[in-house]
């Protein structure tokens, strides 16, 4: 069987991937907090782990891979929006308005990620539907001496009860305190202890628990959902590197202690993968810089989802990625070319070996794309390379039929085809007469109108671009 090698944050080494059960490969990825539209940075882990999901399905079979990506729908920002709607006179209880806001943003998220060609995970749990499992896990941690209630509705995890805390991020205690913006509170036994459960006032959503009406802390959500859907131990846990600490560190502590592995830190996820962050035109994306935009913003501006995906994949997932308008333009041109080359072809039964090899080498999508460019150069009679280009690109989530409308040439009347043919015939006549000025004028006007021309000594071909404007050819003949 093909060997996949992954850079494991946990060991800081590139390791051969050996699933616990090849018949049931399991992956969990931290999903969004659904308080608003997904911004461009939110989309990068979606595309990264979609490629890994596709690769796992390719190697182990679609029926032998389970992918879980959650929705965090317990959040103060969601509550704030619901409270504003209630104050504005929208009918319904606060809980109903919160649920409606979550429904709205989850639908947006699915629609936007679908546009990027991302496969839906096998499971997409909402945190609010797993609160009983969270309460049970918290109670178990208290019983095992890893958590404590403060008597005022809070439950906190006792970090010093887990000897391996900090192993994933490799941070010192001082670094962790600074990185987590730890609040020194009277109810904490140690500054590093973090909240598992907190009380809810009457104007906030809450659930009954042994510690009073309240709601879960952020970290316990993923631990409970992963345990319930994937088991005590599973194969891969992924997310952005901004989640490594404190979120993933806390997940590990909770889950290993709940499973009885406080001393050795085994169990939970065997492989941890983290993608780097995204920049825009060389700068950190922020509203203050005016370079913050959502995926929907780009889509509404006419940037196709397939183009966004292609730009992402040109940078290795463990390197910072810089989004630029120039990269988007180049990606669109490449994808249009590939779609033209593969139009009408049947996919090959197998992906190109080198493309698969690059993906198996810690998701080296940039090298895989270089190989796709090589396949696009196939001029053979049977077009084997182009058929493999089609199959291999789809392994990366590109050149899918349902994503190709943006690249389709407009329907051109026969009269336009005849006109372009006449213009090209006159250009050839001008070249024969060495009237280079006229020949260049004709070619230039065609290009301005959105006609792409390829010429050889004795022949030519042309392609009508999606930006074709017939009015720019008026009066040319």
């Amino acid at each position: 069987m093909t060997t996949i090698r992954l850079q494991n944050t946990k060991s800081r080494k590139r390791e051969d991937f050996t699933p616990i059960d090849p018949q049931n490969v399991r992956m969990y990825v931290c999903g969004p907090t659904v308080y608003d539209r997904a911004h461009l940075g939110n989309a990068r882990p979606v595309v990264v782990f979609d490629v890994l999901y596709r690769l796992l399905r390719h190697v182990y079979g679609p029926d032998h891979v389970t992918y879980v990506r959650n929705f965090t729908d317990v959040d103060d920002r969601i509550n704030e929006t619901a409270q504003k709607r209630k104050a504005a006179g929208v009918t319904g209880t606060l809980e109903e308005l919160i649920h409606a806001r979550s429904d709205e943003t989850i639908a947006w998220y699915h629609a936007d990620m679908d546009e990027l060609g991302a496969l839906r995970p096998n499971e997409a749990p909402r945190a609010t539907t797993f609160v009983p499992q969270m309460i049970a896990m918290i109670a178990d941690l208290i019983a095992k001496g890893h958590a404590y209630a403060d008597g005022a509705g809070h439950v906190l995890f006792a970090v010093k009860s887990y000897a391996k805390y900090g192993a994933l991020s490799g941070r010192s205690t001082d670094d962790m305190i600074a990185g987590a913006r730890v609040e020194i509170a009277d109810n904490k036994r140690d500054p590093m202890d973090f909240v598992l459960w907190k009380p809810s006032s009457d104007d906030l959503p809450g659930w009954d628990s042994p510690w009073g009406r309240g709601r879960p802390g952020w970290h316990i959500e993923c631990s409970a959902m992963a345990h319930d859907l994937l088991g005590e131990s599973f194969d891969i846990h992924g997310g952005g590197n901004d989640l490594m600490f404190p979120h993933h560190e806390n997940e590990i502590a909770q889950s290993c202690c709940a499973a009885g592995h406080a001393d050795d830190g085994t169990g939970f996820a065997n492989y941890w993968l983290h993608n780097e962050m995204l920049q825009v035109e060389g700068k950190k994306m922020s509203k203050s810089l005016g370079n913050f935009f959502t995926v929907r913003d780009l889509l509404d501006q006419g940037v196709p989802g397939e183009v966004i995906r292609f730009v992402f994949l040109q940078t290795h997932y463990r390197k910072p990625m810089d989004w630029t308008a120039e990269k988007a333009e180049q990606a669109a041109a490449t994808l249009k070319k590939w779609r033209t080359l593969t139009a009408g072809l049947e996919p090959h039964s197998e992906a190109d070996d080198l493309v698969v090899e690059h993906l198996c080498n810690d998701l080296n999508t940039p090298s895989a794309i270089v190989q796709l460019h090589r396949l696009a150069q196939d001029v053979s009679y049977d077009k084997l390379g182009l058929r493999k280009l089609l199959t291999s690109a789809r392994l990366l989530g590109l050149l899918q039929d349902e994503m190709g409308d943006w690249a389709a040439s407009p329907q051109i009347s026969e009269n336009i085809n005849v006109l372009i043919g006449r213009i090209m015939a006159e250009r050839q006549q001008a070249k024969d007469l060495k009237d280079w000025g006229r020949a260049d004028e004709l070619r230039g006007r065609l290009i301005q109108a959105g006609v792409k021309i390829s010429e050889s000594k004795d022949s030519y071909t042309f392609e009508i671009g999606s930006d074709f404007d017939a009015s720019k050819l008026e009066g040319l003949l």
Side-chain angles (χ1 to χ4, degrees), residues 310-349:
F310 191 81
V311 173
F312 283 176
L313 297 180
Q314 290 180 90
T315 301
H316 192 272
Y317 78 92
R318 287 191 292 104
K319 293 183 178 180
M321 199 218 86
D322 190 23
W323 173 272
T324 69
E326 182 181 3
K327 286 181 180 178
E329 291 174 4
Q330 293 172 347
T334 296
L335 289 168
K336 281 186 177 181
K337 175 185 174 183
W338 288 355
R339 284 191 171 276
T340 299
L341 290 172
T342 58
L345 295 180
E346 287 296 320
H348 196 273
S349 58

Side-chain angles (χ1 to χ4, degrees), residues 17-38:
F17 174 64
T18 304
I20 298 169
D21 177 5
Q23 298 299 308
N24 183 22
V25 181
R26 288 160 287 168
M27 177 170 71
Y28 186 95
V29 174
C30 289
T33 301
V34 286
Y35 64 93
D36 208 342
R37 288 276 190 186

